[in-house]
């Protein structure tokens, strides 16, 4: 084969892989090097056989929950199988989004399922670790840090996901972001009937509450988004996009720290050391301070741009 053709084919493959990613700004290195390449191959296979993103997400839930169940046992070899299943679950979770972008098969239900998948995994993990700890001699009080860590995880994941989508909204617009707001979601929810759309209305209620949780932790960001949507209905000025990216990109590393990879690496470590209970306290006393730091700094950035956009002393952000 002609070397030029080979190179062209390789470039096409690289470009296709890059197009399956959300953005280099929001992708974690472990994901870029490991999960996204695996997810891309899974997505290619699913596209070939006609499997849509939502079934891939549902399959990932089964793998993740099975992994959690296997962490109940103290035998390390069983735990290692659970670790492999959790890696597979996260690879599938990566694949569903890549498949959706490759095939342009995006939906609100897919967005909700994708966000809920990790919650199902970690509910199973937390329950398994609490029961395991009781078998190891801990009292029922172990459920207190177990539940607190679970609640912390929900907020950490919700805010990390929200800030990533806000960043994507500013640098890519609505086409590159899955950013929602409770006002629009409330209208959609109200238009659904419990009689005719029971399943979807139930899911929509869950997602509406999830979005309200995200908004409740980011008041300055809500003011910024409202101002941006009213002031720039036809698209954001390039100067604002460039300026926001420069200020906000450094904060994306914190969204990665409180997400899947960091917590799972430490979970695996403590499972190998047979000290799985430490996971709860790591979530509460290490990841929560990072969450707080992330929120505080995101609010500072939002306040800065909100005030800058409102001022009439500069025309820097006028026009698209």
């Amino acid at each position: 084969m002609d070397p030029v053709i080979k190179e062209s084919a390789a470039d096409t493959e690289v470009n296709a892989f890059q197009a399956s990613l959300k953005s280099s700004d929001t992708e974690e290195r472990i994901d870029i090097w490991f999960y996204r390449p695996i997810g891309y191959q899974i997505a290619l296979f699913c596209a070939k056989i006609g499997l849509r993103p939502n079934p891939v997400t549902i399959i990932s839930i089964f793998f993740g929950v099975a992994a959690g169940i296997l962490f109940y046992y103290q035998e390390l070899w069983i735990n290692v199988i659970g670790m492999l299943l959790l890696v597979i679950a996260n690879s599938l979770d990566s694949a569903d989004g890549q498949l959706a972008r490759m095939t342009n098969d995006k939906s609100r239900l897919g967005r909700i399922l994708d966000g809920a998948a990790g919650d199902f995994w970690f509910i199973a993990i937390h329950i398994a670790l609490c029961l395991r700890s009781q078998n190891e001699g801990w009292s029922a009080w172990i459920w207190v840090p177990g539940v607190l860590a679970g609640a912390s995880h929900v907020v950490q994941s919700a805010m990390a996901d929200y800030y990533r989508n806000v960043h994507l909204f500013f640098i890519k617009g609505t086409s590159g972001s899955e950013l929602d707001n409770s006002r629009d979601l409330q209208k959609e929810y109200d238009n659904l009937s419990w009689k005719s759309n029971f399943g979807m209305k139930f899911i929509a209620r869950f997602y509406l509450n999830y979005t309200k949780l995200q908004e409740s932790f980011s008041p300055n960001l809500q003011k910024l988004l409202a101002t941006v949507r009213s002031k720039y209905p036809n698209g954001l000025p390039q100067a604002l996009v460039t300026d926001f990216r420069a200020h906000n990109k450094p904060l994306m590393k914190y969204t990665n720290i409180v997400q899947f990879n960091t917590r799972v690496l430490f979970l695996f470590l403590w499972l190998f050391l047979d000290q799985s209970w430490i996971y709860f306290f790591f979530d509460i006393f290490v990841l929560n301070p990072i969450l707080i730091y992330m929120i505080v700094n995101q609010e500072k950035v939002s306040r800065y741009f909100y005030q800058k956009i409102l001022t009439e002393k500069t025309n820097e952000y006028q026009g698209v």
Side-chain angles (χ1 to χ4, degrees):
M1 182 181 291
D2 191 315
V4 176
I5 296 177
K6 280 186 177 181
E7 184 177 348
S8 177
D11 290 342
T12 301
E13 181 72 10
V14 170
N15 291 336
F17 171 70
Q18 292 294 332
S20 74
L21 306 178
K22 289 183 178 180
S23 165
S24 60
D25 286 7
T26 58
E27 295 284 0
E28 193 172 359
R29 291 302 168 201
I30 294 177
D31 290 333
I32 291 289
W33 296 334
F34 184 74
Y35 285 110
R36 299 299 185 243
I38 295 175
Y40 180 65
Q41 295 303 320
I42 295 173
L44 287 176
F45 175 75
C46 292
K48 186 176 181 179
I49 65 174
L51 190 62
R52 299 182 65 187
N54 289 353
V56 177
T57 306
I58 294 171
I59 293 170
S60 80
I61 293 174
F62 283 101
F63 273 95
V65 171
I69 293 172
L70 293 184
F71 295 152
Y72 164 77
Y73 300 95
Q74 285 185 265
E75 290 82 355
L76 181 58
W77 69 272
I78 297 179
N79 296 162
V80 170
I81 295 174
M83 295 175 197
L84 293 174
L85 291 181
L86 194 56
V87 168
I88 294 172
N90 199 48
S91 299
L92 289 167
D93 188 55
S94 176
D96 62 11
Q98 290 171 280
L99 177 62
R101 286 184 285 277
M102 287 166 52
T103 60
N104 198 29
D105 188 3
K106 302 176 183 179
S107 67
R108 175 60 52 73
L109 179 59
R111 162 79 173 140
I112 296 171
L113 283 175
D114 187 57
D119 291 335
F120 281 110
W121 306 349
F122 282 94
I123 287 172
I125 290 171
H126 281 244
I127 292 174
L129 294 185
C130 284
L131 294 173
R132 172 182 176 142
S133 296
Q134 285 189 278
N135 288 343
E136 294 171 345
W138 288 78
S139 72
W141 283 103
I142 192 62
W143 287 89
V144 174
V147 172
L148 288 175
S152 298
H153 176 220
V154 169
V155 178
Q156 292 159 11
S157 297
M159 296 314 298
D161 177 69
Y162 193 57
Y163 289 137
R164 282 178 172 179
N165 276 302
V166 167
H167 188 79
L168 291 171
F169 169 76
F170 273 90
I171 68 172
K172 287 190 170 184
T174 54
S175 62
S177 171
E178 297 174 327
L179 184 64
D180 288 310
N181 65 82
S182 60
R183 182 188 60 197
D184 292 341
L185 292 175
Q186 184 69 58
K187 292 178 182 177
E188 294 180 16
Y189 174 80
D190 292 339
N191 288 331
L192 293 172
S193 166
W194 282 110
K195 184 176 181 180
S196 304
N197 313 102
F198 179 85
M200 195 59 209
K201 191 171 179 75
F202 178 80
I203 295 173
R205 179 74 256 181
F206 168 83
Y207 189 57
L208 175 59
N209 291 341
Y210 177 81
T211 304
K212 286 182 176 180
L213 171 71
Q214 294 171 319
E215 293 175 348
S216 69
F217 280 94
S218 54
N220 287 331
L221 176 55
Q222 300 316 306
K223 291 192 291 186
L224 172 62
L225 290 173
T227 301
V228 164
R229 287 183 174 119
S230 66
K231 196 173 181 69
Y232 309 115
N234 299 319
L236 303 183
Q238 186 57 46
L240 174 57
V241 172
T242 302
D243 200 7
F244 185 88
R245 184 182 187 188
H247 281 76
N248 203 63
K249 184 179 177 180
L251 299 180
M252 289 297 98
K253 60 177 175 288
Y254 300 108
T255 68
N256 292 328
I257 292 173
V258 299
Q259 284 280 55
F260 179 86
N261 291 325
T262 301
R263 70 178 66 249
V264 165
L265 286 174
F266 279 97
L267 171 61
F268 289 178
L269 171 63
W270 290 313
L271 285 168
F272 273 110
L273 297 176
D274 197 20
Q275 301 293 330
S276 60
W277 58 272
I278 301 178
Y279 173 74
F280 298 144
F281 296 93
F282 174 78
D283 212 328
I284 296 169
F285 296 112
V286 177
L287 295 185
N288 273 343
I290 296 173
L291 167 71
I292 294 169
Y293 183 82
M294 176 178 71
I295 291 174
V296 168
N297 282 276
Q298 288 283 176
E299 284 292 278
K300 286 181 180 178
V301 169
S302 297
R303 184 168 58 250
Y304 167 79
F305 280 100
Y306 173 70
Q307 292 172 347
K308 190 169 184 179
I309 290 172
L310 286 185
T311 182
E312 296 300 325
K313 296 179 182 179
T314 176
N315 292 321
E316 181 181 358
Y317 296 155
Q318 296 301 313
V320 178

